[in-house]
Each structure stands twice: as structure tokens, then as C-alpha cells.
Amino acid sequence: MGSSNEVIVIHGNGNLAGEVAVSGAKNSALKLMAASVLGRGATTLHNVPLIADIDVMCEVLEHLGATVSRDGHSMTIDTAAVDRNETPYELVTKMRASIAVLGPLIGRFGEARVAMPGGCQIGARNIDMHLVGLEALGVQFDVHHGFIVARTPDGLHGAQVTLEFPSVGATENMLMAAVCAEGQTIIDNAAREPEIADLCAMLNEMGACVSGIGTSTIAVEGVAPESLHACEHTTVGDRIEAGTFLAGGALTGGPVKVTGVDPAFLRMAITKLEALGCTVRTGEDWVSVERTGPLGAVDIQTLPHPGFPTDLQAQFMLLCALGEGLSVVTENVFENRFMFAAELMRMGANIDLEDHHAVIRGVDGLQGAPVSATDLRAGAALVLAGIVAEGYTTVHGIGHIDRGYEDYVGKLRALGADVMRKDIGARP
């Protein structure tokens, strides 16, 4: 996926226009891969993005005993021989999403041993909600030497659980255990992200019985674990990648047309683009954006879906930084997501941070500067900033970007940006 010494160098030419196809959704594909453990056979997934996080999940599944083969954007995962129920610390620390195998392992084996996820650049993301939800299904947890040890001495049974917060990860882990529980499970205040609906669809294709898909109340009628089978499934398009390119089009004026995504996944982002002064058009599986007048100002609050996604907060903060007037961005999901603001301020943005609010006063332009990607989405937004900044911008820490964007530089170049990857060699 690239050397740790690589950077992205951008010469600001203000150019981004054309058509770009998005890859499969990272946040869906990872959980679909985890769910394959329940299938006890060869599951084929299509539209799987070529990104670093997928490589890590392949390692996790292979560690469990699965055989994984890839052919471009299609992947076959044979979990018939999976005989281990433990994920090691070195894999969990590479990617927190590997905690997603907890539910499927409990569903398949009735027990699991998963390393505790460590800290994260964008916040604690406590897994207590995962554990509370699973405990209601009959799972008992102990923590031994940094591992979560799960057992089900009396088997898995259905329950009614109300999540304190519509956590995506907790909803997913509960779903993947509940499909094997005896009786009915009701998950109230469930996460409603499109990636959850994609997971539910695949579980049903495997022989599960999940209803209420796409709503905040999901019902699961448990089936015998051995009755679940492998399936063939196509991952939904990545709404966050789509939103990133749409933000790029709004930034330069475009027009930029993004294909391979359901516009319904992006309703709130589209509303904010229009409020910023853009013209947005949609089709069955595409969205286009263009702008002829100046960028305006807008207030944004990140919330669970269908609210404004936290994963598009940095990209839209960038738009606000170049808009006319005063914008306020409120981050309600992750506590450290404003680290991006400090990097953008190095390029000349005028941003005041007050707790979980960013007050942004639009400036006339940005200047190229050396900056660092503090997380996946911040890295993508800094590259966009470089496209409209004066002079050259060098983005360090691009391993974050490689975790979630397939060929980001290649796609931007195809849209006219003057951007390249460069290996700066071993540092002293």
C-alpha cells in the first residue's frame, strides 16, 4: 500500500472537473468480511475496495483459519476451516474495525478472545456498548491480560436491547451474534447507516432472518448456527468517498460527477452543498455538483445517519474556510476530530475552536504548506485544500489516506488536479 516515507505533493491549480467512479464502501466491506465467518463456506464479495484496511481484515480472517483469495475488486473468503476464535493484539491495533469479528465468533463458536482495541486518533470510541448489548444475549465477559474473553455458558438467547447511542459497531456486533441466538432479538435505537442495511441484506442472504432494515428498530429471529451458509454479495458504493469528491467539486466549481453511489445515502451532505451555493443533480446511482458563484456559509452538526456524517466534517470545514461569512461546525460524534483544523490553519484558514464547536470565518484563499494527515478523512481534505491553495502543499502521514481511499491520487489526477505521490526516503 505504499512506503511510510511517502508524501502527497500538490501544486495548487484549482482544477477538479469530470467524472469519477467510487469504490465499494470501506465501512461496509470490512463488516461483510467479518460476517463471512458465520457462513461456514466460500463467500464471494464483489466491489471490495483496494485499500489498506481491507488487507488487515484479510490478515485477521487468515489468522482465524480462513482462506482468502482476491481477483481485482472481488474476494472469496472460505471460512469452512475456521478453527480459532482469537484475534491478536498486533492486528487489532492496526485497525479498530477488527473488533467486528467479536459478534460472528460468538455466533459461530459461542466464545471468543479478542484483543482490546487501543486508543484512536479521533477519540476513545469506547466498546462498552458492544459488551452491554452482547451481555443481554447471554454473553459473559472477562478481561484477561488485555484480551476480552467472551463465553456463553447457557447459550445465546434473544433479548430486547435499547442502545444508549446508535453506535454502528455495537449494532453490527449484536446483529452478527443475534442471528445465531435462540428466539427473537430486538435492537432499539439501532444505527441506521447504509452500511448496516448492507450487512443485514447479506446476513439474510446467508439464511438469517433480519427485519426492520434501515430503521432504528431491528428485529432478528435467531436460526441454528449450522443453518447459515456462504453467499455471494456486492458491497454498496462508498458514500464518504463520494462526499469527498463532491466537496472537491464544490471547492473548485467543478462540475464533478460521482458515479456508483446511491444519492439517498448523501441527503444531508447534498442539502449542505446546496446551502453553500452549489447546484447538485442526482440520478439513480450518481450525484453531480457545480458552482458558479462564491461559496457561502453554513452551520453543520455531525450526527448519526441520517444526520450529517462525522466522516465528511473535515471536507466541509474546508469549504466553510473559503466561504463568505461565518460558519459553525459542531462535532457531536468524536471528541478529537478537530485536530484537522490546526493543519488547515497552517494554510491560512481562520478557525476558532471552542470545545466541540469550530467557528470558521471565511478567507479569500489558502497558501500551500507542509501539513500532516491526523486521520483518514483529514488527510483526504488536506489534499483537496492543496488543490486550491497557492503554491505547493506537501501532505505527510498519507498512510491514513491509504486506509480508506483507493487510488486517491490517481482519481484526483484524472479530474485534472496536479497531485503526485513522492517517496522522500528514509528519515534520519
Side-chain angles (χ1 to χ4, degrees), residues 26 71 127 132 177 179 191 211 220 273 307 317 334 412 420:
K26 167 182 100 85
D71 180 12
I127 64 160
V132 169
V179 294
S211 57
V220 184
L273 285 170
M317 184 186 287
F334 293 140
L412 290 171
M420 63 180 285

Side-chain angles (χ1 to χ4, degrees), residues 65 108 259 319 337 402:
R108 178 159 174 170
T259 62
L319 294 175
R337 260 266 156 92
D402 290 338

Side-chain angles (χ1 to χ4, degrees), residues 234-248:
T234 300
T235 314
V236 294
D238 196 318
R239 64 195 168 99
I240 304 302
E241 184 189 5
T244 301
F245 285 114
L246 291 172

Side-chain angles (χ1 to χ4, degrees), residues 355-381:
D355 192 28
H356 63 300
H357 305 286
V359 179
I360 306 150
R361 292 170 179 83
V363 296
D364 290 336
L366 299 174
Q367 296 85 47
V371 289
S372 289
T374 51
D375 64 68
L376 167 55
R377 308 304 172 185

Side-chain angles (χ1 to χ4, degrees), residues 246-254 278 291 295 318-319 322 381 384-385 387-388:
L246 291 172
L251 197 62
T252 64
C278 300
R291 176 178 58 82
L295 277 166
L318 167 60
L319 294 175
L322 288 164
L384 294 181
I387 291 170
V388 292

Side-chain angles (χ1 to χ4, degrees), residues 158-246:
Q160 177 146 358
V161 181
T162 301
L163 292 176
E164 173 186 335
F165 175 85
S167 158
V168 172
T171 302
E172 289 164 341
N173 260 323
M174 280 197 66
L175 271 169
M176 291 188 277
V179 294
C180 297
E182 190 175 330
Q184 184 185 64
T185 298
I186 303 287
I187 308 171
D188 279 320
N189 200 24
R192 295 163 60 187
E193 273 69 6
E195 295 80 14
I196 298 273
D198 201 22
L199 173 62
C200 290
M202 174 163 151
L203 290 171
N204 282 346
E205 288 158 14
M206 295 170 79
C209 186
V210 182
S211 57
I213 298 171
T215 74
S216 56
T217 303
I218 298 176
V220 184
E221 297 290 344
V223 300
E226 58 275 11
S227 71
L228 293 174
H229 51 78
C231 71
E232 188 167 350
H233 183 83
T234 300
T235 314
V236 294
D238 196 318
R239 64 195 168 99
I240 304 302
E241 184 189 5
T244 301
F245 285 114
L246 291 172

